[in-house]
Amino acid sequence: AGALTKLGDLIRAQATTPEDFERARDRYLEAAKQNDLEAVINLGLLHYRGQIPNAQSTLAFQYFDTAAKKGAVGAWYWLGVLYQKGEGVEANRETAKKMFKRAMADVHLGAKFKLATSLLEEAEVPKMKPKTQIQLRVEAKRLLLEYVLDEKRHPANAVVAMRLLGEAFERGDGEAPNPRAARYWHEAAALEGDGTAMLWMMRALKTKEPQASWNWLEKACADVTFAEAHYQKGLILLEGISQVVKVDLI
């Protein structure tokens, strides 16, 4: 069963057509019949990601739920994702948090990141009591710090976590705002390619370090799809920056 699952993984990793993903699915189905829980989770992922014909989010939920009830660690994480997004099941923030916490209890690092982002989303709910909002943000900041300092973190999620930490330290979130920490985490995210963090650096350095500010904006504009960066560049070209950027109306 384990070999069948690994074979499915290899096929899925190299898949370029729907038929390839179907071949992977068939291997997973064979392994799942022998009670291989990793195969069950992977079947759920094929449905969740829409990689096979007639993929259904409800089937993804059923596979994850089956695997979770049988003790598969990763399944709790994916159930949390589905409850958070409302895919395959009715969205339920509280249940999503429970699923992420259950996955964290089994040392699933990704669940820590997901729970943190879920708490930050909850803190933005209209009419949220200030005290409750702070509590949510403080807990989210703690989780994000633990996540980015773990060497097993996922690179893409770590970049987002760094930017979110920059925003948290800028707000304060349970303590006085910390501009130095805010810059540290925003710059860390910007160095890893986060465009939003690059724009933050551009704004933060605009007065005291105009050349560095412009450099960050240019880096952000390397992404041709990042509309906000190009808009900001247009604004600067309208007025220019002394000794750094000339006015260019064209």
Side-chain angles (χ1 to χ4, degrees), residues 46-88:
L46 287 173
H47 280 277
Y48 171 65
R49 293 168 176 165
Q51 293 173 322
I52 55 176
N54 303 314
Q56 299 177 44
S57 57
T58 51
L59 284 178
F61 176 83
Q62 290 174 20
Y63 279 122
F64 295 147
D65 189 53
T66 297
K69 289 176 179 177
K70 292 184 177 181
V73 176
W76 296 107
Y77 169 83
W78 288 109
L79 283 173
V81 171
L82 293 186
Y83 274 110
Q84 185 180 39
K85 295 184 175 182
E87 296 185 18

Short mmCIF file of all heavy atoms in Angstrom, two decimals, residues 46-88:
data_model
loop_
_atom_site.label_atom_id
_atom_site.label_comp_id
_atom_site.label_asym_id
_atom_site.label_seq_id
_atom_site.Cartn_x
_atom_site.Cartn_y
_atom_site.Cartn_z
N LEU A 46 -6.69 15.69 -4.69
CA LEU A 46 -7.00 15.69 -6.12
C LEU A 46 -8.36 16.32 -6.38
O LEU A 46 -8.54 17.06 -7.35
CB LEU A 46 -6.96 14.26 -6.67
CG LEU A 46 -5.57 13.62 -6.81
CD1 LEU A 46 -5.70 12.15 -7.20
CD2 LEU A 46 -4.73 14.37 -7.84
N HIS A 47 -9.32 16.04 -5.50
CA HIS A 47 -10.65 16.64 -5.64
C HIS A 47 -10.62 18.11 -5.24
O HIS A 47 -11.20 18.97 -5.93
CB HIS A 47 -11.66 15.87 -4.79
CG HIS A 47 -12.13 14.61 -5.42
ND1 HIS A 47 -13.15 14.58 -6.35
CD2 HIS A 47 -11.71 13.32 -5.27
CE1 HIS A 47 -13.36 13.32 -6.74
NE2 HIS A 47 -12.50 12.54 -6.10
N TYR A 48 -9.96 18.43 -4.14
CA TYR A 48 -9.91 19.81 -3.65
C TYR A 48 -9.27 20.74 -4.67
O TYR A 48 -9.72 21.87 -4.88
CB TYR A 48 -9.14 19.85 -2.34
CG TYR A 48 -8.83 21.24 -1.84
CD1 TYR A 48 -9.85 22.12 -1.47
CD2 TYR A 48 -7.51 21.70 -1.77
CE1 TYR A 48 -9.56 23.41 -1.02
CE2 TYR A 48 -7.22 22.97 -1.32
CZ TYR A 48 -8.24 23.83 -0.95
OH TYR A 48 -7.95 25.09 -0.52
N ARG A 49 -8.21 20.27 -5.32
CA ARG A 49 -7.48 21.09 -6.28
C ARG A 49 -8.04 21.01 -7.70
O ARG A 49 -7.52 21.65 -8.61
CB ARG A 49 -6.01 20.70 -6.28
CG ARG A 49 -5.32 21.05 -4.96
CD ARG A 49 -3.95 20.41 -4.85
NE ARG A 49 -3.28 20.84 -3.61
CZ ARG A 49 -2.22 20.24 -3.09
NH1 ARG A 49 -1.69 19.18 -3.70
NH2 ARG A 49 -1.68 20.68 -1.97
N GLY A 50 -9.11 20.23 -7.88
CA GLY A 50 -9.74 20.13 -9.19
C GLY A 50 -8.84 19.54 -10.25
O GLY A 50 -8.91 19.92 -11.42
N GLN A 51 -8.01 18.58 -9.87
CA GLN A 51 -7.01 18.05 -10.80
C GLN A 51 -7.49 16.84 -11.59
O GLN A 51 -6.78 16.38 -12.49
CB GLN A 51 -5.74 17.70 -10.03
CG GLN A 51 -5.03 18.92 -9.46
CD GLN A 51 -3.87 18.55 -8.54
OE1 GLN A 51 -3.95 17.59 -7.79
NE2 GLN A 51 -2.81 19.33 -8.60
N ILE A 52 -8.66 16.33 -11.26
CA ILE A 52 -9.20 15.18 -11.99
C ILE A 52 -10.59 15.51 -12.51
O ILE A 52 -11.26 16.41 -11.99
CB ILE A 52 -9.27 13.93 -11.08
CG1 ILE A 52 -10.05 14.23 -9.81
CG2 ILE A 52 -7.87 13.42 -10.76
CD1 ILE A 52 -10.24 13.04 -8.90
N PRO A 53 -11.05 14.82 -13.56
CA PRO A 53 -12.39 15.08 -14.09
C PRO A 53 -13.45 14.86 -13.01
O PRO A 53 -13.32 13.97 -12.17
CB PRO A 53 -12.52 14.06 -15.23
CG PRO A 53 -11.11 13.79 -15.65
CD PRO A 53 -10.31 13.83 -14.37
N ASN A 54 -14.47 15.69 -13.05
CA ASN A 54 -15.59 15.60 -12.10
C ASN A 54 -15.15 15.74 -10.64
O ASN A 54 -15.74 15.12 -9.74
CB ASN A 54 -16.33 14.27 -12.28
CG ASN A 54 -16.85 14.08 -13.70
OD1 ASN A 54 -17.44 15.00 -14.28
ND2 ASN A 54 -16.61 12.92 -14.28
N ALA A 55 -14.11 16.52 -10.43
CA ALA A 55 -13.65 16.76 -9.06
C ALA A 55 -14.74 17.46 -8.26
O ALA A 55 -15.43 18.34 -8.77
CB ALA A 55 -12.39 17.61 -9.08
N GLN A 56 -14.89 17.08 -7.00
CA GLN A 56 -15.94 17.65 -6.15
C GLN A 56 -15.36 17.98 -4.77
O GLN A 56 -14.73 17.13 -4.14
CB GLN A 56 -17.10 16.67 -5.99
CG GLN A 56 -17.80 16.30 -7.29
CD GLN A 56 -18.90 15.28 -7.08
OE1 GLN A 56 -19.69 15.40 -6.13
NE2 GLN A 56 -18.96 14.27 -7.92
N SER A 57 -15.61 19.19 -4.33
CA SER A 57 -15.12 19.59 -3.01
C SER A 57 -15.79 18.79 -1.91
O SER A 57 -15.20 18.57 -0.84
CB SER A 57 -15.34 21.09 -2.80
OG SER A 57 -16.72 21.43 -2.94
N THR A 58 -17.03 18.34 -2.15
CA THR A 58 -17.72 17.53 -1.14
C THR A 58 -17.01 16.19 -0.95
O THR A 58 -16.92 15.67 0.17
CB THR A 58 -19.19 17.27 -1.53
OG1 THR A 58 -19.24 16.75 -2.87
CG2 THR A 58 -20.00 18.55 -1.45
N LEU A 59 -16.48 15.63 -2.06
CA LEU A 59 -15.73 14.38 -1.95
C LEU A 59 -14.40 14.63 -1.25
O LEU A 59 -13.92 13.77 -0.50
CB LEU A 59 -15.50 13.78 -3.33
CG LEU A 59 -16.72 13.09 -3.96
CD1 LEU A 59 -16.38 12.58 -5.35
CD2 LEU A 59 -17.18 11.93 -3.08
N ALA A 60 -13.81 15.79 -1.51
CA ALA A 60 -12.57 16.14 -0.81
C ALA A 60 -12.81 16.13 0.69
O ALA A 60 -12.02 15.57 1.46
CB ALA A 60 -12.08 17.51 -1.27
N PHE A 61 -13.92 16.74 1.10
CA PHE A 61 -14.25 16.78 2.52
C PHE A 61 -14.44 15.37 3.07
O PHE A 61 -13.93 15.05 4.16
CB PHE A 61 -15.53 17.59 2.75
CG PHE A 61 -15.98 17.59 4.19
CD1 PHE A 61 -15.43 18.49 5.10
CD2 PHE A 61 -16.93 16.69 4.64
CE1 PHE A 61 -15.81 18.48 6.43
CE2 PHE A 61 -17.32 16.67 5.98
CZ PHE A 61 -16.76 17.57 6.87
N GLN A 62 -15.12 14.52 2.33
CA GLN A 62 -15.37 13.16 2.80
C GLN A 62 -14.07 12.38 2.98
O GLN A 62 -13.90 11.64 3.96
CB GLN A 62 -16.30 12.44 1.83
CG GLN A 62 -17.72 12.98 1.84
CD GLN A 62 -18.60 12.35 0.77
OE1 GLN A 62 -18.29 11.27 0.26
NE2 GLN A 62 -19.68 13.02 0.41
N TYR A 63 -13.16 12.54 2.02
CA TYR A 63 -11.87 11.84 2.14
C TYR A 63 -11.08 12.35 3.35
O TYR A 63 -10.53 11.57 4.13
CB TYR A 63 -11.05 12.04 0.87
CG TYR A 63 -11.42 11.12 -0.26
CD1 TYR A 63 -11.83 11.62 -1.50
CD2 TYR A 63 -11.35 9.74 -0.10
CE1 TYR A 63 -12.17 10.77 -2.55
CE2 TYR A 63 -11.68 8.88 -1.16
CZ TYR A 63 -12.09 9.39 -2.37
OH TYR A 63 -12.42 8.54 -3.41
N PHE A 64 -11.02 13.67 3.52
CA PHE A 64 -10.28 14.23 4.65
C PHE A 64 -10.91 13.81 5.98
O PHE A 64 -10.22 13.47 6.94
CB PHE A 64 -10.23 15.76 4.57
CG PHE A 64 -9.46 16.29 3.38
CD1 PHE A 64 -9.85 17.48 2.77
CD2 PHE A 64 -8.37 15.61 2.87
CE1 PHE A 64 -9.15 17.98 1.69
CE2 PHE A 64 -7.66 16.10 1.78
CZ PHE A 64 -8.05 17.30 1.18
N ASP A 65 -12.24 13.83 6.01
CA ASP A 65 -12.95 13.47 7.24
C ASP A 65 -12.70 12.01 7.59
O ASP A 65 -12.47 11.68 8.77
CB ASP A 65 -14.46 13.71 7.04
CG ASP A 65 -15.23 13.56 8.33
OD1 ASP A 65 -14.86 14.21 9.33
OD2 ASP A 65 -16.21 12.80 8.36
N THR A 66 -12.73 11.14 6.59
CA THR A 66 -12.46 9.71 6.82
C THR A 66 -11.05 9.50 7.36
O THR A 66 -10.84 8.76 8.33
CB THR A 66 -12.63 8.92 5.50
OG1 THR A 66 -13.99 9.02 5.07
CG2 THR A 66 -12.26 7.46 5.71
N ALA A 67 -10.08 10.18 6.73
CA ALA A 67 -8.68 10.04 7.15
C ALA A 67 -8.48 10.57 8.57
O ALA A 67 -7.76 9.97 9.38
CB ALA A 67 -7.77 10.76 6.18
N ALA A 68 -9.12 11.69 8.88
CA ALA A 68 -8.98 12.29 10.21
C ALA A 68 -9.52 11.36 11.29
O ALA A 68 -8.90 11.18 12.35
CB ALA A 68 -9.68 13.63 10.25
N LYS A 69 -10.67 10.79 11.04
CA LYS A 69 -11.30 9.90 12.02
C LYS A 69 -10.48 8.64 12.26
O LYS A 69 -10.62 8.00 13.30
CB LYS A 69 -12.72 9.56 11.58
CG LYS A 69 -13.68 10.73 11.68
CD LYS A 69 -15.06 10.38 11.15
CE LYS A 69 -16.01 11.57 11.30
NZ LYS A 69 -17.35 11.30 10.72
N LYS A 70 -9.62 8.32 11.29
CA LYS A 70 -8.76 7.14 11.44
C LYS A 70 -7.38 7.50 11.97
O LYS A 70 -6.51 6.64 12.06
CB LYS A 70 -8.65 6.40 10.11
CG LYS A 70 -9.96 5.74 9.66
CD LYS A 70 -9.77 4.95 8.38
CE LYS A 70 -11.06 4.23 7.98
NZ LYS A 70 -10.89 3.43 6.74
N GLY A 71 -7.20 8.81 12.29
CA GLY A 71 -5.96 9.21 12.93
C GLY A 71 -4.90 9.83 12.06
O GLY A 71 -3.76 9.99 12.49
N ALA A 72 -5.23 10.20 10.82
CA ALA A 72 -4.24 10.82 9.93
C ALA A 72 -4.01 12.27 10.34
O ALA A 72 -4.95 13.07 10.37
CB ALA A 72 -4.71 10.75 8.48
N VAL A 73 -2.77 12.62 10.62
CA VAL A 73 -2.45 13.97 11.10
C VAL A 73 -2.81 15.05 10.10
O VAL A 73 -3.49 16.00 10.41
CB VAL A 73 -0.94 14.06 11.44
CG1 VAL A 73 -0.59 15.48 11.85
CG2 VAL A 73 -0.60 13.10 12.55
N GLY A 74 -2.34 14.94 8.88
CA GLY A 74 -2.56 16.00 7.89
C GLY A 74 -4.02 16.26 7.58
O GLY A 74 -4.38 17.35 7.13
N ALA A 75 -4.87 15.26 7.80
CA ALA A 75 -6.29 15.41 7.46
C ALA A 75 -6.95 16.50 8.27
O ALA A 75 -7.83 17.21 7.77
CB ALA A 75 -7.00 14.08 7.67
N TRP A 76 -6.56 16.66 9.55
CA TRP A 76 -7.17 17.70 10.38
C TRP A 76 -6.88 19.08 9.79
O TRP A 76 -7.72 19.98 9.80
CB TRP A 76 -6.64 17.63 11.81
CG TRP A 76 -7.01 16.37 12.52
CD1 TRP A 76 -6.20 15.33 12.82
CD2 TRP A 76 -8.31 16.01 13.00
NE1 TRP A 76 -6.90 14.33 13.47
CE2 TRP A 76 -8.20 14.73 13.60
CE3 TRP A 76 -9.55 16.64 12.99
CZ2 TRP A 76 -9.28 14.07 14.18
CZ3 TRP A 76 -10.64 16.00 13.58
CH2 TRP A 76 -10.49 14.73 14.16
N TYR A 77 -5.67 19.24 9.28
CA TYR A 77 -5.29 20.52 8.66
C TYR A 77 -6.18 20.83 7.46
O TYR A 77 -6.71 21.94 7.35
CB TYR A 77 -3.82 20.45 8.21
CG TYR A 77 -3.40 21.59 7.33
CD1 TYR A 77 -3.01 22.81 7.88
CD2 TYR A 77 -3.40 21.48 5.94
CE1 TYR A 77 -2.62 23.87 7.07
CE2 TYR A 77 -3.02 22.52 5.13
CZ TYR A 77 -2.63 23.71 5.70
OH TYR A 77 -2.25 24.76 4.89
N TRP A 78 -6.36 19.84 6.60
CA TRP A 78 -7.16 20.09 5.40
C TRP A 78 -8.63 20.28 5.72
O TRP A 78 -9.33 21.05 5.04
CB TRP A 78 -6.95 18.96 4.39
CG TRP A 78 -5.59 19.02 3.77
CD1 TRP A 78 -4.53 18.18 3.96
CD2 TRP A 78 -5.13 20.04 2.88
NE1 TRP A 78 -3.44 18.61 3.25
CE2 TRP A 78 -3.77 19.74 2.57
CE3 TRP A 78 -5.71 21.17 2.30
CZ2 TRP A 78 -3.00 20.53 1.72
CZ3 TRP A 78 -4.95 21.96 1.46
CH2 TRP A 78 -3.62 21.63 1.17
N LEU A 79 -9.12 19.62 6.75
CA LEU A 79 -10.50 19.88 7.18
C LEU A 79 -10.64 21.33 7.63
O LEU A 79 -11.63 22.00 7.34
CB LEU A 79 -10.88 18.94 8.32
CG LEU A 79 -11.24 17.50 7.94
CD1 LEU A 79 -11.44 16.65 9.18
CD2 LEU A 79 -12.49 17.47 7.05
N GLY A 80 -9.62 21.82 8.33
CA GLY A 80 -9.64 23.22 8.75
C GLY A 80 -9.69 24.16 7.57
O GLY A 80 -10.43 25.16 7.58
N VAL A 81 -8.93 23.84 6.53
CA VAL A 81 -8.92 24.67 5.33
C VAL A 81 -10.31 24.71 4.69
O VAL A 81 -10.81 25.77 4.30
CB VAL A 81 -7.89 24.14 4.31
CG1 VAL A 81 -8.03 24.86 2.96
CG2 VAL A 81 -6.46 24.32 4.85
N LEU A 82 -10.95 23.55 4.59
CA LEU A 82 -12.28 23.49 3.97
C LEU A 82 -13.32 24.23 4.80
O LEU A 82 -14.16 24.94 4.25
CB LEU A 82 -12.70 22.04 3.77
CG LEU A 82 -11.89 21.22 2.75
CD1 LEU A 82 -12.52 19.84 2.55
CD2 LEU A 82 -11.80 21.94 1.42
N TYR A 83 -13.26 24.08 6.12
CA TYR A 83 -14.20 24.81 6.97
C TYR A 83 -13.93 26.32 6.91
O TYR A 83 -14.86 27.13 6.97
CB TYR A 83 -14.10 24.34 8.42
CG TYR A 83 -14.94 23.13 8.73
CD1 TYR A 83 -14.36 21.89 8.98
CD2 TYR A 83 -16.34 23.22 8.77
CE1 TYR A 83 -15.14 20.78 9.28
CE2 TYR A 83 -17.13 22.11 9.05
CZ TYR A 83 -16.53 20.89 9.31
OH TYR A 83 -17.31 19.79 9.59
N GLN A 84 -12.68 26.70 6.79
CA GLN A 84 -12.34 28.12 6.70
C GLN A 84 -12.86 28.74 5.41
O GLN A 84 -13.39 29.85 5.40
CB GLN A 84 -10.82 28.28 6.80
CG GLN A 84 -10.36 29.74 6.85
CD GLN A 84 -8.84 29.85 6.94
OE1 GLN A 84 -8.11 29.10 6.30
NE2 GLN A 84 -8.36 30.78 7.75
N LYS A 85 -12.72 28.00 4.31
CA LYS A 85 -13.12 28.52 3.00
C LYS A 85 -14.57 28.22 2.64
O LYS A 85 -15.10 28.82 1.71
CB LYS A 85 -12.20 27.95 1.91
CG LYS A 85 -10.75 28.39 2.03
CD LYS A 85 -9.93 27.86 0.87
CE LYS A 85 -8.51 28.38 0.92
NZ LYS A 85 -7.71 27.89 -0.25
N GLY A 86 -15.18 27.27 3.35
CA GLY A 86 -16.55 26.90 3.01
C GLY A 86 -16.61 26.12 1.73
O GLY A 86 -17.52 26.28 0.92
N GLU A 87 -15.65 25.23 1.51
CA GLU A 87 -15.61 24.40 0.31
C GLU A 87 -15.88 22.94 0.70
O GLU A 87 -15.16 22.37 1.50
CB GLU A 87 -14.26 24.51 -0.39
CG GLU A 87 -13.97 25.90 -0.91
CD GLU A 87 -12.69 25.97 -1.72
OE1 GLU A 87 -12.21 24.91 -2.15
OE2 GLU A 87 -12.16 27.08 -1.90
N GLY A 88 -16.92 22.38 0.13
CA GLY A 88 -17.29 21.00 0.45
C GLY A 88 -18.07 20.87 1.74
O GLY A 88 -18.57 19.79 2.07
#
